Amino acid sequence: QLQLQESGPGLVKPWETLSLTCTVSGASISIGGYTWGWIRQPPGKGLEWIDSCYYNGNAYYNSALKSRVSTSFDTSTNQLSLKLTSVTAADTAVYYCARRKDYSGIEHWGQGILVTVSS
Amino acid sequence: DVQMTQSPSILSASVEDRVTITCRASQSINWLAWYQQKPGKAPKLLISKVSSLESGVSSRFSGSGSGTEFTLTISSLQPDDFATYYCKQYHTYPLTFGGGTKVE
């Protein structure tokens, strides 16, 4: 059974880089036909898509975050990693790792990790 | 970017009510999904491709629509259905979510 688990610091200082890792078990991140990516949800607010990345290199990003976000893959550990630079309080949110099958919705989600941006 | 507008933002309903949530897109789309989210939990995929029910999801949920207007219907609201629902278009990147509808 596919499982996704986010990890990383729960507190990041303003203007620093937010770094999160998603450990995937039950399936290879290099399998074709799927995108991997991140969605976030500020406290008490709605869902915001961050990015979707194919293992083969194609990646798509939220227009408002594009200049600050990147996602990378590590097949040796079956993980994907998110980096969001120059964070502010507006980046405080629960961050979810997710997998989406082509032509479908996001069928697998991590449990989410709360990241607070504060000095 | 395709803007997704959900209505209503809050819906008050009772058990066994028929509930309809609307999602409007700022341009014509073909690919739409619906999610259910409960407090403190990750969203759960209910419907893909506008109307395809995910495996294991109750048949009281249904999706319909085309072009720019789409609906999620719960035929007979059950206690477990009180949650927040989101639509999301995946017709084109960037992907975009609706603002959510809380069913209370």
Side-chain angles (χ1 to χ4, degrees):
Chain A
Q1 183 175 346
L2 180 66
Q3 291 189 330
L4 290 71
Q5 178 69 57
E6 304 90 347
S7 60
L11 181 64
V12 180
K13 289 183 167 55
W15 307 112
E16 293 190 346
T17 296
L18 181 160
S19 296
L20 296 176
T21 296
C22 176
T23 300
V24 178
S25 58
S28 171
I29 59 174
S30 61
I31 192 171
Y34 296 92
T35 61
W36 302 86
W38 299 86
I39 294 96
R40 70 181 183 179
Q41 185 170 35
K45 297 188 178 181
L47 300 167
E48 181 180 31
W49 173 78
I50 298 174
D51 66 5
S52 293
C53 306
Y54 287 90
Y55 177 73
N56 66 10
N58 291 335
Y60 305 89
Y61 300 100
N62 180 309
S63 302
L65 301 174
K66 190 172 184 178
S67 63
R68 299 194 291 130
V69 69
S70 64
T71 289
S72 59
F73 295 94
D74 186 340
T75 54
S76 66
T77 55
N78 215 39
Q79 293 176 328
L80 58 153
S81 297
L82 171 73
K83 289 191 187 302
L84 182 65
T85 62
S86 303
V87 297
T88 68
D91 296 309
T92 294
V94 174
Y95 286 76
Y96 294 101
C97 172
R99 187 187 85 166
R100 183 173 75 88
K101 186 176 180 181
D102 283 350
Y103 307 108
S104 184
I106 299 171
E107 86 276 32
H108 288 288
W109 299 71
Q111 65 183 28
I113 182 170
L114 174 63
V115 180
T116 300
V117 178
S118 175
S119 56
Chain B
D1 299 3
V2 179
Q3 305 302 316
M4 305 300 292
T5 304
Q6 267 184 257
S7 60
S9 55
I10 300 175
L11 193 159
S12 295
S14 301
V15 173
E16 296 184 1
D17 281 355
R18 181 180 180 87
V19 167
T20 299
I21 298 168
T22 298
C23 186
R24 290 187 173 86
S26 60
Q27 64 188 66
S28 183
I29 60 172
N30 293 323
W31 303 94
L32 183 100
W34 290 96
Y35 299 86
Q36 175 194 67
Q37 187 180 32
K38 296 182 179 179
K41 300 294 187 181
K44 174 186 175 182
L45 179 62
L46 299 176
I47 290 171
S48 289
K49 305 169 195 172
V50 178
S51 59
S52 295
L53 200 66
E54 290 297 305
S55 175
V57 175
S58 171
S59 58
R60 62 180 181 271
F61 292 94
S62 64
S64 64
S66 64
T68 62
E69 188 156 332
F70 303 86
T71 59
L72 173 70
T73 299
I74 309 172
S75 60
S76 177
L77 194 69
Q78 297 302 301
D80 190 49
D81 301 336
F82 289 93
T84 300
Y85 294 85
Y86 295 91
C87 63
K88 186 202 75 184
Q89 68 82 19
Y90 57 103
H91 179 85
T92 185
Y93 286 107
L95 309 186
T96 42
F97 285 94
T101 296
K102 184 177 182 180
V103 177
E104 60 180 28

